[in-house]
């Protein structure tokens, strides 16, 4: 994650996102309590790095530059854990914002509870999840995590406030999905989902092309709690958008084989292997990804129902491989994720056609449907289709390709996910996030001196003297990953 540099204000660390590109240097502090966070945030004007901004950071799983603050002070909030408090009567959990989903699930699942929303990795912090308003395979049923947060504690330059639905709603709406630019989340209480087992009942089905995939997902909406399609982004022609659709629901005890019924809530996921070193070049080029995609599609059954799978295997397949992100080589990668409204399927087709033609090697391309948007001003999910793909950086013409895709998405009335972004142009922010001006007004109330900042915020004009859609004030990019 970091490589140390030394400056006039003390040691600085190169921080990058999960994509391992565009790192920047900042001082790092690791507060162990809310009081320590408050002291750091309310520090004197002369404190090193304050003028360059302060930002909270969790486990660094934002793919781009959302958790970086060049020249400033980054607060490593993973020490803000404490003991989770479970209220079984209210079916809620109160936990420190630095607790990871992995830690929370190891506490909750054996007690018969599951998080209401989870992204595709359990190695994110609770605070980071709220700051990104994360979504999962169940957005079409349950919305994003913000819909399940009862309250948050937020450290601002003027002190600590408690906000949530019905309590300082504007502050909550600016913070949930606000990318850490309104303050430091130190604690949250959220509703839980009761479960009988630590297993899923899963149906799998292949779709020969994009139309078949969309039809299956549309037919599925609301029937299963979780649904997602893996898409072969390198297939073209009549096979464009060929997919493997997976649907799942939490298993009941009666669904389990006899052996699993002995301990139906047993939960202890393990990492099966770790990539031992970063290869000098990407091993995920067009040829290898094309071969993988062909194998993965043909390996999937044409149709299978009722398969019982462990929770971790269903939700977090990549977590079984440690440091998998280094397989993309020294140039790193970007995850390009966008959403377009229902009725804009032509935009989906255009994106897949351009990616296939450019041989953009994405082995992890997923398509999901979203339900109605939440209340967060900068929250990403809005009703429609969302497509996410991991793309190696460094290929000739890739920046122009992605800029063109941004135009397609914007013209269709869609938006790009800020938690995954590391290269969106600031001129798209106003169209993609029309509530950005509303967000900026609340931010000015919470942080009138502009203490909180990030590389993403500056790059997109979300922070800085020109307001929520101003020009690029970001730092010059660094062209290599941390060593």
């Amino acid at each position: 994650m970091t490589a140390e540099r030394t400056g006039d204000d003390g040691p600085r660390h190169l921080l990058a996102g999960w994509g391992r590109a565009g790192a920047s240097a900042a001082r790092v502090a690791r507060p162990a309590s809310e009081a320590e966070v408050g002291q750091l945030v309310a520090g004197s004007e002369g404190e090193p790095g304050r003028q360059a901004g302060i930002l909270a950071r969790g486990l660094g799983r934002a793919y781009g530059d959302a958790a970086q603050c060049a020249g400033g002070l980054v607060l490593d909030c993973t020490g803000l854990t404490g003991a989770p408090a479970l209220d079984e009567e209210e079916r809620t959990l109160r936990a420190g914002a630095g607790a990871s989903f992995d830690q929370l699930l190891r506490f909750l699942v054996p007690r018969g509870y599951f998080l209401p929303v989870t992204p595709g990795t359990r190695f994110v912090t609770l605070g980071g999840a709220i700051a990104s308003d994360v979504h999962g395979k169940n957005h079409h049923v349950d919305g994003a995590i913000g819909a399940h947060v009862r309250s948050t504690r937020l450290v601002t330059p003027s002190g600590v406030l408690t906000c949530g639905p019905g309590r300082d709603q504007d502050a909550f709406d600016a913070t949930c999905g606000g990318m850490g630019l309104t303050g430091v989340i130190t604690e949250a209480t959220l509703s839980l989902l009761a479960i009988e087992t630590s297993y899923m009942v899963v149906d799998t089905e292949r779709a020969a092309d994009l139309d078949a995939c969309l039809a299956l997902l549309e037919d599925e909406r609301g029937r299963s709690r979780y649904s997602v399609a893996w898409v072969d982004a390198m297939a073209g022609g009549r096979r464009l958008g060929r997919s493997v659709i997976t649907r799942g629901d939490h298993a009941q005890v009666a669904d389990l084989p006899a052996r699993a019924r002995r301990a139906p809530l047993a939960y202890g996921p393990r990492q099966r292997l770790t990539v031992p070193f970063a290869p000098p070049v990407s091993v995920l080029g067009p040829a290898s990804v094309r071969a993988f995609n062909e194998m993965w599609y043909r390996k999937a059954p044409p149709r299978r129902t009722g398969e019982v799978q462990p929770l971790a295997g269903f939700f977090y397949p990549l977590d079984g491989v440690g440091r998998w992100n280094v397989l993309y080589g020294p140039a790193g990668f970007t995850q390009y994720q966008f959403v377009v409204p229902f009725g804009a399927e032509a935009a989906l087709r255009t994106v897949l056609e351009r990616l296939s033609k450019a041989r953009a090697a994405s082995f992890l391309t997923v398509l999901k449907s979203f339900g109605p948007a939440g209340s967060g001003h900068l929250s990403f999910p809005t009703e429609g289709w969302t497509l996410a793909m991991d793309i190696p950086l460094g290929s000739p013409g890739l920046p122009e390709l992605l800029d063109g895709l941004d135009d397609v998405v914007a013209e269709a009335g869609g938006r790009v996910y800020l938690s995954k972004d590391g290269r969106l142009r600031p001129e798209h922010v106003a169209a993609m996030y029309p509530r950005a001006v509303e967000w900026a007004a609340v931010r000015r109330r919470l942080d009138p001196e502009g203490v909180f900042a990030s590389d993403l915020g500056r790059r997109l004009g979300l922070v800085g003297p020109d307001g929520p859609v101003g020009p690029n004030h970001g730092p010059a990019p660094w062209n290599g990953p941390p060593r």
Side-chain angles (χ1 to χ4, degrees):
M1 177 184 73
T2 66
E4 190 169 298
R5 284 182 177 177
T6 301
D8 295 337
D9 53 5
R12 292 183 293 162
H13 297 262
L14 286 174
L15 300 174
W18 191 242
R20 304 179 73 241
S24 63
R27 293 176 59 241
V28 177
R30 191 173 188 268
S33 67
E34 183 178 270
E36 289 185 31
V37 173
Q39 291 169 3
L40 289 164
V41 171
S44 67
E45 288 296 326
E47 181 178 346
R50 173 150 175 134
Q51 285 76 20
I54 298 175
L55 182 70
R57 180 182 174 101
L59 287 168
R61 288 300 182 107
Y63 281 67
D65 55 1
Q68 300 165 211
C69 186
L73 176 63
V74 171
L75 306 184
D76 176 348
C77 292
T78 56
L80 302 176
T81 53
L86 174 64
D87 186 329
E88 297 200 61
E89 184 175 339
E90 293 291 326
R91 208 168 73 190
T92 60
L93 175 76
R94 177 170 52 83
S100 71
F101 276 24
D102 180 57
Q103 293 169 322
L104 296 179
L105 289 169
R106 291 177 189 276
F107 172 78
L108 289 171
V109 172
R111 291 168 170 80
Y113 296 97
F114 193 67
L115 294 168
V117 171
T118 177
T121 176
R122 62 187 189 274
F123 297 117
V124 296
T125 62
L126 178 58
I130 295 170
S132 293
D133 198 15
V134 297
H135 57 274
K137 298 179 176 72
N138 59 330
H139 191 278
H140 60 292
V141 174
D142 296 311
I145 198 168
H148 308 275
V149 174
R150 297 283 189 91
S151 67
T152 61
R153 287 180 64 82
L154 184 72
V155 175
T156 71
S158 58
V160 182
L161 63 89
T162 300
C163 60
R167 183 172 182 178
D168 204 340
Q169 181 80 46
D170 284 346
F172 177 73
D173 290 347
T175 299
C176 187
M179 307 308 298
L181 297 173
T182 61
V184 180
I185 301 169
T186 57
E187 183 185 278
T189 300
L190 69 160
S191 301
L192 299 172
L193 179 67
I195 56 175
E196 284 189 24
T197 77
S198 59
Y199 294 88
M200 303 293 294
V201 176
V202 181
D203 298 341
T204 305
E205 189 167 0
R206 283 198 317 221
D209 56 28
L210 181 61
D211 288 338
C213 175
L214 294 176
L216 285 170
L217 288 174
E218 180 64 32
D219 182 61
E220 172 55 34
R221 278 173 58 82
R223 291 171 53 188
S224 295
R225 188 171 218 122
Y226 306 95
S227 63
V228 65
W230 169 87
V231 179
D232 181 357
M234 298 197 74
R238 291 180 299 176
R239 301 185 305 164
L240 182 79
R242 67 174 181 174
S243 316
V244 178
I245 294 94
T246 306
R247 301 175 286 265
D249 286 291
H250 291 280
Q252 299 179 333
V253 173
D255 298 318
L256 304 185
R259 184 174 179 179
R261 292 183 193 181
R262 299 172 193 165
L265 288 168
Y267 181 79
R270 292 178 293 177
Q271 202 168 81
R272 296 185 297 274
L273 57 95
T274 298
V275 180
F277 62 91
V281 296
S282 173
V283 301
L284 298 173
S288 60
V289 169
R290 186 180 296 277
F292 172 86
N293 286 1
E294 185 70 28
M295 178 276 295
W296 193 257
Y297 180 77
R298 295 194 177 279
K299 175 178 173 288
R303 190 170 188 272
R304 179 177 61 204
T305 61
E307 182 187 17
V308 176
Q309 296 181 7
L311 277 174
F314 179 79
F315 288 103
Y316 315 114
L318 280 178
D319 284 350
V321 182
R323 300 179 71 234
W324 61 264
N325 60 328
V326 305
L327 294 173
Y328 286 93
F333 72 103
T334 185
Q335 185 172 106
Y336 187 75
Q337 182 168 8
F338 66 90
V339 59
V340 293
F342 295 130
E345 289 77 13
L348 276 179
R349 183 174 297 277
T350 296
V351 170
L352 286 171
E353 287 173 343
R354 292 188 185 182
L355 288 168
S356 175
K357 183 178 180 180
R359 301 177 73 235
S362 174
F363 86 98
L364 185 63
T365 302
V366 295
L367 176 66
K368 295 179 289 193
S369 65
F370 279 162
S375 63
H377 302 145
L378 297 183
S379 180
F380 166 68
T382 185
E383 197 163 32
W385 300 109
T386 180
L387 187 71
M389 61 216 77
D390 289 351
I391 303 174
L393 294 173
S395 301
L398 181 61
E400 293 78 12
L401 171 66
L402 295 179
D403 284 348
L405 298 186
D406 291 341
D407 295 338
V408 171
V409 171
E411 289 168 8
R415 61 183 57 156
V416 168
Y417 192 11
L418 299 184
S419 291
K420 306 292 180 67
D421 175 58
R423 27 86 31 218
L424 184 68
R425 291 168 290 165
E427 57 262 33
H428 280 308
V429 173
M432 290 184 173
Y433 288 91
R435 299 183 69 193
V437 173
E438 184 181 351
W439 172 84
V442 180
R443 172 183 146 80
R444 282 193 293 271
R445 171 171 71 86
L446 298 174
D447 182 16
E449 295 181 7
V451 169
F452 294 101
S454 68
D455 290 0
L456 176 141
R458 295 189 186 105
R459 173 170 56 84
L460 296 181
L462 291 169
V463 300
D466 295 290
V469 290
N472 184 352
H473 296 285
W478 183 61
N479 293 320
R483 303 295 183 183

